[in-house]
Amino acid sequence: MARVHNFSAGPSTLPVPVLEQIRDEIVEFRGMGMSLIEASHRSKEYDAIHCETIALIKELLSIPDNYSILLLGGGATLQFGMVPMNFLREDAGCDFINSGAWAVKALKDAKKVGPVTVIWDGESSRYTTLPTPDSLPISSKSSYLHMTSNETIGGIQWHDWPDGKKLPICIDMSSDIMSRPIPVENFALIYAGAQKNLGPAGVTVVIIRDDMLDRCPSNLPEYLSYKTHATGNSLYNTPPVFSIYAMNLVLHWIKKNGGIEAVERANEEKAQVLYDAIDSSDVYYRCPVDPAVRSRMNIVFRLPTEELEAKFLTEATAAGLNGLPGHRSVGGCRASLYNAMPISGVRALAAFMAEFAQANPA
Ligand SMILES: *Cc1c(COP(=O)(O)O)cnc(C)c1O
């Protein structure tokens, strides 16, 4: 059996050593006489994995002590609703940066909870660019500002951050968490579904500054309040045990490979290889986004015609390069280069692109 290069946007490729360790441990976990996923989530074996996972996130992202790290269910999508339910005050409203498809979804849920002001809107540019942090009209009167660090579908990513001094910033980092160091102290709340850079689907990481917990309304259903999970160390109910265990192994893998700085260097190199393949193709391949905000995680590109795109995608799949179609809402091609994608996969794609362009002139 040969594994293909999997460029899928999510769920996405995982490190092979992690998959192998799961295979080896899934039936009988480290002398426990059963699988970890058969054991109580109150067992000492699970508790050790749970606490170590939280500690690894804290260590790898250099999270200050005044933040809590929560492991929740419901995907990043549940956070679209939980953030406003916990923090959106009717009298103050919240501010939004509308950067693309994921921001639009978060915005839709926030609007159901209270007033939203879009302080920057990328729709007129078809979500191909982002503002500079300094240019944002941030108002200290608002409950919070919501932003999206990396637009997985549009292929744009923030490379500079607003500082969060004027008002709390809540940020969706689902598709680039753990891909580079981040200034955690700029943010009041960070959330990310696991299935891009951290492991399989099923667990969502929430990093919340402790002063925000005082704002959680007491009349929320228990599961929907951040305070419940912070107080109970994310063991208020049964956590997604398998996903947390797999994430634990991914975090160990990151640490073993040199931590977050090494991951960032590798991601920069991978993105460079692919953007070079696009830019050096004499406009055969085109990346439609503003070069200043190109994503290192999700690289979108077009070919001269849709017919050539269809042929490209078919032949790429046949060559073991999977998951390259762009999102159904935008078409074209997209290569997701998450942490677990090796540089060899990116080089194979770049070589295939050069050969294809040569064999199929526009
Ligand atoms: C994938 C993704 C989501 C949705 O995550 P789910 O876990 O499927 O709810 C939200 N935001 C961004 C930026 C994403 O990439």
Side-chain angles (χ1 to χ4, degrees), residues 89 97 144 264 308:
R89 294 198 324 272
I97 296 172
Y144 63 88
E264 180 182 45
L308 283 169

Side-chain angles (χ1 to χ4, degrees), residues 133-156:
D134 295 343
S135 69
L136 289 169
I138 293 178
S139 138
S140 53
K141 298 204 171 64
S142 177
S143 312
Y144 63 88
L145 168 69
H146 184 281
M147 59 191 288
T148 311
S149 61
N150 181 72
E151 283 286 356
T152 323
I153 294 172
I156 57 176

Side-chain angles (χ1 to χ4, degrees), residues 30-51:
R30 304 182 195 173
M32 199 184 181
M34 64 177 81
S35 175
L36 189 67
I37 59 173
E38 298 171 299
S40 166
H41 59 291
R42 313 279 174 200
S43 64
K44 68 174 187 333
E45 289 86 354
Y46 177 69
D47 196 61
I49 291 291
H50 188 88
C51 295

Side-chain angles (χ1 to χ4, degrees), residues 75-77 80 102 148 150 152 172 174-175 193 195-196:
T77 301
F80 296 164
W102 287 113
T148 311
N150 181 72
T152 323
D172 178 0
S174 293
S175 52
Q195 69 274 23
K196 279 91 184 206

